[in-house]
Amino acid sequence: HGSVLKAGGVAGVCVDLILFPLDTVKTRLQSPQGFRKAGGFRGIYAGVPSTAIGSFPNAAAFFITYENVKSLLHHSSTSYLSPATHMVAASLGEVVACLIRVPSEVVKQRAQVSPSSSTLRILSHTLYHEGIQGLYRGYKSTVLREIPFSLVQFPLWESLK
């Protein structure tokens, strides 16, 4: 499982860093203060430290959970049940990964619309004013958004490989 951990982590970091500027633009376009006041095209990598720090453990947590649940369930299932096994494993992987992804996303999005504040300042401000639950704002909706994607993606991936 060591290679799964590394491969999943490295893939997650690469995807997140390549797509980061597009995510910043999207977040600023959706900002209630408007695109320009949220930073416009300035500081397009604002918030990247939280993504960089959270990306590897997020992807690794997903794939470790996915592989362990899959191997646990695989022993007791027949081949026609394997898509259900992959769906359960992927869903549990998302639940675990979101424990890391959501705090990272909260800090990242706040940094994207406030590019003059450092990631560390945003993290400490959130913890001071909202507590740990402030970092998990949107956890349920994020999990509910990610699970349907994984329910389709991972059984399909497993059948194609």
Side-chain angles (χ1 to χ4, degrees), residues 48-61:
V48 83
S50 81
T51 297
I53 291 167
S55 188
F56 187 95
N58 166 54

Side-chain angles (χ1 to χ4, degrees), residues 47-127:
V48 83
S50 81
T51 297
I53 291 167
S55 188
F56 187 95
N58 166 54
F62 174 85
F63 283 107
I64 286 173
T65 304
Y66 176 75
E67 290 297 330
N68 284 320
V69 170
K70 187 174 79 168
S71 70
L72 225 151
L73 294 176
H74 224 330
H75 297 300
S76 62
S77 69
T78 56
S79 63
Y80 72 89
L81 285 178
S82 61
T85 297
H86 301 139
M87 289 175 166
V88 170
S91 297
L92 291 174
E94 290 296 353
V95 168
V96 171
C98 282
L99 292 172
I100 298 165
R101 182 181 309 137
V102 171
S104 172
E105 285 276 312
V106 167
V107 172
K108 175 197 74 168
Q109 288 173 346
R110 291 177 182 189
Q112 286 173 323
V113 296
S114 181
S116 59
S117 293
S118 73
T119 300
L120 189 57
R121 181 177 290 145
I122 289 169
L123 173 64
S124 62
H125 183 268
T126 301
L127 287 171

Side-chain angles (χ1 to χ4, degrees), residues 1-10 56-57 59-61 63-64:
H1 286 327
S3 61
V4 170
L5 171 82
K6 289 177 193 162
V10 169
F56 187 95
F63 283 107
I64 286 173

